[in-house]
Amino acid sequence: MIIACLIVAVIVIAAIFLLYKKNAEEKRAEEERLRKIAEEEERQRQIALEIEAKKAARKAEIEAGKELYHYLNQSIKTMFYHYRTEQWDTMESLGTMELKDCEAALRCIEKLSSGSKTLVKRFYSCLDFEQNLEGEGKVIDAESLKSVFEDVMLPFFPLYYKEFSNGPRYISFLNQQILKVFTQLSGKKFRLGYKNRYQNGQIAFEWTDHVYRVFDMNGKKLCEASFENKAVKDGYVIVKDDATGDDLWKVYKKETFKDGVLIDEDIHYMYTRSI
């Protein structure tokens, strides 16, 4: 009888132990399941936060790009006026840069294509801001800034800028390199030679491949040439000679180039008074 009771007790204890063990294992399994669920939820939360952070950063960069474009565009307009009117030395500032997020602007510049980034950095290296790119852009290197300006204009502009004193707007003379920068910063599309006409409707210039034909406001062709490194490579240019000091006659030189070498030069005279 005692033995039977002991056997029953052992069986009961064993059953209780097994039940306890089973409950403990189920509890551990449930805790593990809940832990994994919590980890996955946290992982998904972090992914969502990263996505939102990237979206916010991208939005800030897009906005900064537009601000950089606006300042660069207005600066070129200012430089165009001073260059065309031969008042470059009087230009002390290109105005105030207003950025909502300076860090986003710096990231935006770094993400530009190699050539665009180099050009933009050259431009800003000529200016002194109060902090990074913020505040008034004071001109600290006028000669380097002038070089940047000439590099963003069509190659014939430094030769004929006086002819365009009453001619097309500055945007007409911007070359493909700066228009590419404008597109990358603003997201807009820009067309080479936009509105390249004088006020009387006469076209100021046209081009085929790399050959430019430039006209004065009366339709006289001044140039038909290709350019390389800011100089005439092939073709001819007609330039006014101001060294004569004669009010009655205008003297023009027609210079013809081949592979960058001057091969011919003709002198042309024009009487300034109507007969």
Side-chain angles (χ1 to χ4, degrees):
M1 186 66 181
I2 295 174
I3 294 175
C5 290
L6 290 173
I7 293 173
V8 171
V10 170
I11 293 172
V12 171
I13 292 171
I16 293 172
F17 176 76
L18 291 174
L19 180 62
Y20 172 80
K21 183 178 180 181
K22 180 181 178 181
N23 290 338
E25 290 176 352
E26 290 178 349
K27 183 178 180 181
R28 283 196 298 272
E30 179 64 14
E31 289 175 348
E32 180 66 16
R33 186 182 71 85
L34 294 174
R35 184 184 66 79
K36 289 182 177 180
I37 290 175
E39 287 180 351
E40 180 62 21
E41 290 177 345
E42 178 61 21
R43 190 177 74 85
Q44 293 296 331
R45 190 179 73 86
Q46 291 297 329
I47 290 175
L49 289 175
E50 290 177 4
I51 292 174
E52 289 301 315
K54 288 180 179 179
K55 286 182 179 179
R58 181 55 186 155
K59 184 177 180 181
E61 289 168 11
I62 291 174
E63 182 65 25
K66 294 178 180 178
E67 293 166 344
L68 290 169
Y69 154 71
H70 178 74
Y71 187 80
L72 181 56
N73 185 29
Q74 291 301 311
S75 294
I76 291 175
K77 185 176 180 180
T78 300
M79 289 188 287
F80 178 83
Y81 169 79
H82 283 80
Y83 190 96
R84 192 182 64 179
T85 57
E86 299 183 333
Q87 299 181 51
W88 191 270
D89 293 339
T90 68
M91 184 173 55
E92 298 179 352
S93 171
L94 292 181
T96 301
M97 169 77 84
E98 296 179 357
L99 294 173
K100 294 179 181 178
D101 189 334
C102 185
E103 293 299 321
L106 295 174
R107 292 197 307 270
C108 181
I109 293 174
E110 290 301 320
K111 290 183 178 180
L112 293 173
S113 61
S114 178
S116 297
K117 179 167 62 176
T118 299
L119 178 60
V120 171
K121 285 188 174 181
R122 279 181 61 203
F123 168 70
Y124 284 117
S125 69
C126 300
L127 306 177
D128 181 28
F129 292 92
E130 295 172 10
Q131 183 178 1
N132 288 329
L133 298 179
E134 296 181 285
E136 184 180 2
K138 296 180 181 179
V139 178
I140 57 172
D141 191 341
E143 285 305 309
S144 294
L145 186 62
K146 189 174 185 179
S147 177
V148 172
F149 173 76
E150 291 178 339
D151 284 345
V152 304
M153 306 302 284
L154 290 172
F156 58 80
F157 181 79
L159 190 63
Y160 292 115
Y161 68 91
K162 291 182 180 180
E163 294 289 342
F164 307 127
S165 59
N166 295 311
R169 296 172 59 230
Y170 71 99
I171 198 169
S172 305
F173 302 104
L174 301 183
N175 63 29
Q176 197 61 58
Q177 183 181 19
I178 189 61
L179 294 181
K180 180 180 178 181
V181 173
F182 281 2
T183 296
Q184 291 176 334
L185 290 176
S186 70
K188 301 178 181 179
K189 292 184 179 180
F190 297 86
R191 178 165 59 86
L192 188 67
Y194 178 65
K195 292 186 176 181
N196 57 328
R197 292 183 179 274
Y198 293 98
Q199 293 180 356
N200 63 1
Q202 167 64 43
I203 191 170
F205 64 90
E206 59 186 14
W207 67 95
T208 303
D209 295 329
H210 299 293
V211 176
Y212 294 93
R213 290 172 288 279
V214 180
F215 306 88
D216 67 13
M217 64 185 305
N218 296 315
K220 177 183 177 181
K221 187 188 290 187
L222 301 174
C223 162
E224 185 166 356
S226 62
F227 292 77
E228 186 175 74
N229 298 324
K230 301 182 182 180
V232 180
K233 181 182 179 183
D234 295 307
Y236 74 86
V237 294
I238 297 176
V239 293
K240 183 179 177 182
D241 186 355
D242 294 321
T244 62
D246 192 333
D247 294 333
L248 295 179
W249 292 90
K250 288 184 179 179
V251 182
Y252 293 88
K253 293 187 297 182
K254 181 179 180 181
E255 301 175 338
T256 304
F257 293 80
K258 180 65 177 178
D259 293 328
V261 178
L262 178 65
I263 61 174
D264 191 27
E265 184 177 62
D266 293 329
I267 304 297
H268 297 262
Y269 296 87
M270 182 180 295
Y271 194 62
T272 60
R273 295 182 182 178
S274 60
I275 299 175

